[in-house]
Amino acid sequence: MSGALAPNQPVQTWGDNSNGRLGNGSTTDSPFPIGIRTGVSGLTSVSAGVVHSLVV
């Protein structure tokens, strides 16, 4: 799983979606970035790895 954050844009996520890791409500893998809704405003950074994700 990978993630990216750009100013005034939705969080972008892509990669393995086992157990719904991408946060888009599905379990389908995505090789391309897809926007997800976080329900949080003022995000400043995103970190993602093999078994973790963190949005601050």
Side-chain angles (χ1 to χ4, degrees), residues 22-45:
L22 296 181
N24 66 346
S26 80
T27 55
T28 303
D29 295 347
S30 178
F32 304 103
I34 54 172
I36 61 167
R37 294 183 182 190
T38 62
V40 179
S41 62
L43 300 176
T44 58
S45 62

PDB file of all heavy atoms in Angstrom, residues 22-45:
ATOM      1  N   LEU A  22      -6.707  -0.043   1.669  1.00  0.00           N
ATOM      2  CA  LEU A  22      -6.661   1.242   0.975  1.00  0.00           C
ATOM      3  C   LEU A  22      -7.666   2.243   1.516  1.00  0.00           C
ATOM      4  O   LEU A  22      -7.571   3.432   1.239  1.00  0.00           O
ATOM      5  CB  LEU A  22      -6.879   1.047  -0.536  1.00  0.00           C
ATOM      6  CG  LEU A  22      -5.795   0.248  -1.251  1.00  0.00           C
ATOM      7  CD1 LEU A  22      -6.113   0.155  -2.743  1.00  0.00           C
ATOM      8  CD2 LEU A  22      -4.417   0.839  -1.029  1.00  0.00           C
ATOM      9  N   GLY A  23      -8.642   1.775   2.265  1.00  0.00           N
ATOM     10  CA  GLY A  23      -9.601   2.680   2.873  1.00  0.00           C
ATOM     11  C   GLY A  23     -10.675   3.196   1.940  1.00  0.00           C
ATOM     12  O   GLY A  23     -11.296   4.214   2.209  1.00  0.00           O
ATOM     13  N   ASN A  24     -10.889   2.488   0.829  1.00  0.00           N
ATOM     14  CA  ASN A  24     -11.911   2.934  -0.118  1.00  0.00           C
ATOM     15  C   ASN A  24     -13.181   2.094  -0.064  1.00  0.00           C
ATOM     16  O   ASN A  24     -14.041   2.191  -0.935  1.00  0.00           O
ATOM     17  CB  ASN A  24     -11.355   2.946  -1.545  1.00  0.00           C
ATOM     18  CG  ASN A  24     -11.010   1.556  -2.050  1.00  0.00           C
ATOM     19  OD1 ASN A  24     -10.934   0.600  -1.290  1.00  0.00           O
ATOM     20  ND2 ASN A  24     -10.774   1.451  -3.337  1.00  0.00           N
ATOM     21  N   GLY A  25     -13.327   1.254   0.947  1.00  0.00           N
ATOM     22  CA  GLY A  25     -14.539   0.468   1.120  1.00  0.00           C
ATOM     23  C   GLY A  25     -14.587  -0.808   0.306  1.00  0.00           C
ATOM     24  O   GLY A  25     -15.628  -1.446   0.229  1.00  0.00           O
ATOM     25  N   SER A  26     -13.476  -1.194  -0.332  1.00  0.00           N
ATOM     26  CA  SER A  26     -13.444  -2.433  -1.101  1.00  0.00           C
ATOM     27  C   SER A  26     -12.222  -3.249  -0.699  1.00  0.00           C
ATOM     28  O   SER A  26     -11.437  -2.829   0.148  1.00  0.00           O
ATOM     29  CB  SER A  26     -13.395  -2.140  -2.606  1.00  0.00           C
ATOM     30  OG  SER A  26     -12.080  -1.802  -3.008  1.00  0.00           O
ATOM     31  N   THR A  27     -12.061  -4.406  -1.319  1.00  0.00           N
ATOM     32  CA  THR A  27     -10.851  -5.218  -1.111  1.00  0.00           C
ATOM     33  C   THR A  27     -10.171  -5.486  -2.451  1.00  0.00           C
ATOM     34  O   THR A  27      -9.381  -6.409  -2.576  1.00  0.00           O
ATOM     35  CB  THR A  27     -11.193  -6.555  -0.419  1.00  0.00           C
ATOM     36  OG1 THR A  27     -12.188  -7.231  -1.175  1.00  0.00           O
ATOM     37  CG2 THR A  27     -11.673  -6.327   1.009  1.00  0.00           C
ATOM     38  N   THR A  28     -10.459  -4.656  -3.451  1.00  0.00           N
ATOM     39  CA  THR A  28      -9.860  -4.784  -4.778  1.00  0.00           C
ATOM     40  C   THR A  28      -8.553  -4.005  -4.822  1.00  0.00           C
ATOM     41  O   THR A  28      -8.526  -2.820  -4.481  1.00  0.00           O
ATOM     42  CB  THR A  28     -10.822  -4.242  -5.857  1.00  0.00           C
ATOM     43  OG1 THR A  28     -12.068  -4.948  -5.768  1.00  0.00           O
ATOM     44  CG2 THR A  28     -10.244  -4.409  -7.243  1.00  0.00           C
ATOM     45  N   ASP A  29      -7.468  -4.664  -5.261  1.00  0.00           N
ATOM     46  CA  ASP A  29      -6.173  -3.993  -5.400  1.00  0.00           C
ATOM     47  C   ASP A  29      -6.290  -2.872  -6.433  1.00  0.00           C
ATOM     48  O   ASP A  29      -7.100  -2.945  -7.359  1.00  0.00           O
ATOM     49  CB  ASP A  29      -5.102  -4.971  -5.863  1.00  0.00           C
ATOM     50  CG  ASP A  29      -4.824  -6.059  -4.851  1.00  0.00           C
ATOM     51  OD1 ASP A  29      -5.255  -5.940  -3.695  1.00  0.00           O
ATOM     52  OD2 ASP A  29      -4.159  -7.042  -5.233  1.00  0.00           O
ATOM     53  N   SER A  30      -5.479  -1.839  -6.283  1.00  0.00           N
ATOM     54  CA  SER A  30      -5.464  -0.732  -7.240  1.00  0.00           C
ATOM     55  C   SER A  30      -4.025  -0.385  -7.605  1.00  0.00           C
ATOM     56  O   SER A  30      -3.283   0.118  -6.764  1.00  0.00           O
ATOM     57  CB  SER A  30      -6.150   0.498  -6.647  1.00  0.00           C
ATOM     58  OG  SER A  30      -6.089   1.571  -7.560  1.00  0.00           O
ATOM     59  N   PRO A  31      -3.623  -0.630  -8.870  1.00  0.00           N
ATOM     60  CA  PRO A  31      -2.266  -0.283  -9.284  1.00  0.00           C
ATOM     61  C   PRO A  31      -2.099   1.212  -9.542  1.00  0.00           C
ATOM     62  O   PRO A  31      -0.989   1.700  -9.705  1.00  0.00           O
ATOM     63  CB  PRO A  31      -2.073  -1.084 -10.569  1.00  0.00           C
ATOM     64  CG  PRO A  31      -3.456  -1.235 -11.125  1.00  0.00           C
ATOM     65  CD  PRO A  31      -4.367  -1.307  -9.926  1.00  0.00           C
ATOM     66  N   PHE A  32      -3.217   1.949  -9.582  1.00  0.00           N
ATOM     67  CA  PHE A  32      -3.183   3.384  -9.857  1.00  0.00           C
ATOM     68  C   PHE A  32      -3.756   4.154  -8.668  1.00  0.00           C
ATOM     69  O   PHE A  32      -4.635   3.654  -7.967  1.00  0.00           O
ATOM     70  CB  PHE A  32      -4.011   3.703 -11.110  1.00  0.00           C
ATOM     71  CG  PHE A  32      -3.574   2.933 -12.311  1.00  0.00           C
ATOM     72  CD1 PHE A  32      -4.299   1.842 -12.750  1.00  0.00           C
ATOM     73  CD2 PHE A  32      -2.414   3.272 -12.989  1.00  0.00           C
ATOM     74  CE1 PHE A  32      -3.898   1.109 -13.856  1.00  0.00           C
ATOM     75  CE2 PHE A  32      -1.995   2.554 -14.084  1.00  0.00           C
ATOM     76  CZ  PHE A  32      -2.740   1.471 -14.528  1.00  0.00           C
ATOM     77  N   PRO A  33      -3.299   5.388  -8.432  1.00  0.00           N
ATOM     78  CA  PRO A  33      -3.818   6.180  -7.320  1.00  0.00           C
ATOM     79  C   PRO A  33      -5.327   6.421  -7.432  1.00  0.00           C
ATOM     80  O   PRO A  33      -5.843   6.698  -8.509  1.00  0.00           O
ATOM     81  CB  PRO A  33      -3.070   7.504  -7.442  1.00  0.00           C
ATOM     82  CG  PRO A  33      -1.826   7.167  -8.177  1.00  0.00           C
ATOM     83  CD  PRO A  33      -2.222   6.072  -9.134  1.00  0.00           C
ATOM     84  N   ILE A  34      -6.015   6.285  -6.312  1.00  0.00           N
ATOM     85  CA  ILE A  34      -7.437   6.585  -6.222  1.00  0.00           C
ATOM     86  C   ILE A  34      -7.640   7.510  -5.027  1.00  0.00           C
ATOM     87  O   ILE A  34      -6.963   7.381  -4.015  1.00  0.00           O
ATOM     88  CB  ILE A  34      -8.294   5.307  -6.066  1.00  0.00           C
ATOM     89  CG1 ILE A  34      -7.811   4.462  -4.888  1.00  0.00           C
ATOM     90  CG2 ILE A  34      -8.311   4.508  -7.332  1.00  0.00           C
ATOM     91  CD1 ILE A  34      -8.703   3.291  -4.552  1.00  0.00           C
ATOM     92  N   GLY A  35      -8.539   8.464  -5.145  1.00  0.00           N
ATOM     93  CA  GLY A  35      -8.826   9.383  -4.041  1.00  0.00           C
ATOM     94  C   GLY A  35      -9.745   8.730  -3.026  1.00  0.00           C
ATOM     95  O   GLY A  35     -10.661   7.998  -3.388  1.00  0.00           O
ATOM     96  N   ILE A  36      -9.475   8.951  -1.751  1.00  0.00           N
ATOM     97  CA  ILE A  36     -10.337   8.436  -0.693  1.00  0.00           C
ATOM     98  C   ILE A  36     -10.761   9.581   0.213  1.00  0.00           C
ATOM     99  O   ILE A  36     -10.047  10.568   0.361  1.00  0.00           O
ATOM    100  CB  ILE A  36      -9.665   7.323   0.147  1.00  0.00           C
ATOM    101  CG1 ILE A  36      -8.403   7.836   0.834  1.00  0.00           C
ATOM    102  CG2 ILE A  36      -9.359   6.114  -0.712  1.00  0.00           C
ATOM    103  CD1 ILE A  36      -7.873   6.907   1.889  1.00  0.00           C
ATOM    104  N   ARG A  37     -11.909   9.447   0.808  1.00  0.00           N
ATOM    105  CA  ARG A  37     -12.394  10.439   1.765  1.00  0.00           C
ATOM    106  C   ARG A  37     -11.962  10.016   3.154  1.00  0.00           C
ATOM    107  O   ARG A  37     -12.184   8.890   3.565  1.00  0.00           O
ATOM    108  CB  ARG A  37     -13.906  10.537   1.708  1.00  0.00           C
ATOM    109  CG  ARG A  37     -14.393  11.076   0.406  1.00  0.00           C
ATOM    110  CD  ARG A  37     -15.868  11.222   0.413  1.00  0.00           C
ATOM    111  NE  ARG A  37     -16.292  11.705  -0.892  1.00  0.00           N
ATOM    112  CZ  ARG A  37     -17.497  12.115  -1.158  1.00  0.00           C
ATOM    113  NH1 ARG A  37     -18.419  12.089  -0.213  1.00  0.00           N
ATOM    114  NH2 ARG A  37     -17.816  12.531  -2.348  1.00  0.00           N
ATOM    115  N   THR A  38     -11.347  10.935   3.868  1.00  0.00           N
ATOM    116  CA  THR A  38     -10.878  10.620   5.216  1.00  0.00           C
ATOM    117  C   THR A  38     -11.835  11.135   6.285  1.00  0.00           C
ATOM    118  O   THR A  38     -11.803  10.659   7.409  1.00  0.00           O
ATOM    119  CB  THR A  38      -9.499  11.238   5.481  1.00  0.00           C
ATOM    120  OG1 THR A  38      -9.608  12.645   5.392  1.00  0.00           O
ATOM    121  CG2 THR A  38      -8.477  10.714   4.492  1.00  0.00           C
ATOM    122  N   GLY A  39     -12.651  12.129   5.937  1.00  0.00           N
ATOM    123  CA  GLY A  39     -13.530  12.738   6.927  1.00  0.00           C
ATOM    124  C   GLY A  39     -12.779  13.647   7.884  1.00  0.00           C
ATOM    125  O   GLY A  39     -13.308  14.082   8.894  1.00  0.00           O
ATOM    126  N   VAL A  40     -11.527  13.950   7.560  1.00  0.00           N
ATOM    127  CA  VAL A  40     -10.682  14.779   8.414  1.00  0.00           C
ATOM    128  C   VAL A  40     -10.155  15.939   7.585  1.00  0.00           C
ATOM    129  O   VAL A  40      -9.729  15.762   6.449  1.00  0.00           O
ATOM    130  CB  VAL A  40      -9.487  13.952   8.964  1.00  0.00           C
ATOM    131  CG1 VAL A  40      -8.587  14.801   9.824  1.00  0.00           C
ATOM    132  CG2 VAL A  40      -9.972  12.737   9.718  1.00  0.00           C
ATOM    133  N   SER A  41     -10.169  17.144   8.137  1.00  0.00           N
ATOM    134  CA  SER A  41      -9.594  18.289   7.437  1.00  0.00           C
ATOM    135  C   SER A  41      -8.270  18.674   8.080  1.00  0.00           C
ATOM    136  O   SER A  41      -7.991  18.288   9.211  1.00  0.00           O
ATOM    137  CB  SER A  41     -10.556  19.464   7.465  1.00  0.00           C
ATOM    138  OG  SER A  41     -10.784  19.859   8.794  1.00  0.00           O
ATOM    139  N   GLY A  42      -7.455  19.417   7.363  1.00  0.00           N
ATOM    140  CA  GLY A  42      -6.188  19.888   7.886  1.00  0.00           C
ATOM    141  C   GLY A  42      -5.094  18.841   7.924  1.00  0.00           C
ATOM    142  O   GLY A  42      -4.164  18.944   8.725  1.00  0.00           O
ATOM    143  N   LEU A  43      -5.168  17.830   7.050  1.00  0.00           N
ATOM    144  CA  LEU A  43      -4.131  16.800   7.025  1.00  0.00           C
ATOM    145  C   LEU A  43      -2.811  17.415   6.585  1.00  0.00           C
ATOM    146  O   LEU A  43      -2.777  18.255   5.693  1.00  0.00           O
ATOM    147  CB  LEU A  43      -4.520  15.683   6.052  1.00  0.00           C
ATOM    148  CG  LEU A  43      -5.822  14.959   6.354  1.00  0.00           C
ATOM    149  CD1 LEU A  43      -6.121  13.948   5.265  1.00  0.00           C
ATOM    150  CD2 LEU A  43      -5.764  14.294   7.696  1.00  0.00           C
ATOM    151  N   THR A  44      -1.728  16.991   7.206  1.00  0.00           N
ATOM    152  CA  THR A  44      -0.420  17.536   6.849  1.00  0.00           C
ATOM    153  C   THR A  44       0.551  16.498   6.319  1.00  0.00           C
ATOM    154  O   THR A  44       1.505  16.842   5.646  1.00  0.00           O
ATOM    155  CB  THR A  44       0.231  18.228   8.061  1.00  0.00           C
ATOM    156  OG1 THR A  44       0.357  17.285   9.125  1.00  0.00           O
ATOM    157  CG2 THR A  44      -0.608  19.409   8.518  1.00  0.00           C
ATOM    158  N   SER A  45       0.338  15.217   6.621  1.00  0.00           N
ATOM    159  CA  SER A  45       1.244  14.196   6.093  1.00  0.00           C
ATOM    160  C   SER A  45       0.582  12.827   6.090  1.00  0.00           C
ATOM    161  O   SER A  45      -0.368  12.578   6.825  1.00  0.00           O
ATOM    162  CB  SER A  45       2.543  14.144   6.906  1.00  0.00           C
ATOM    163  OG  SER A  45       2.275  13.787   8.241  1.00  0.00           O
TER     164      SER A  45
END
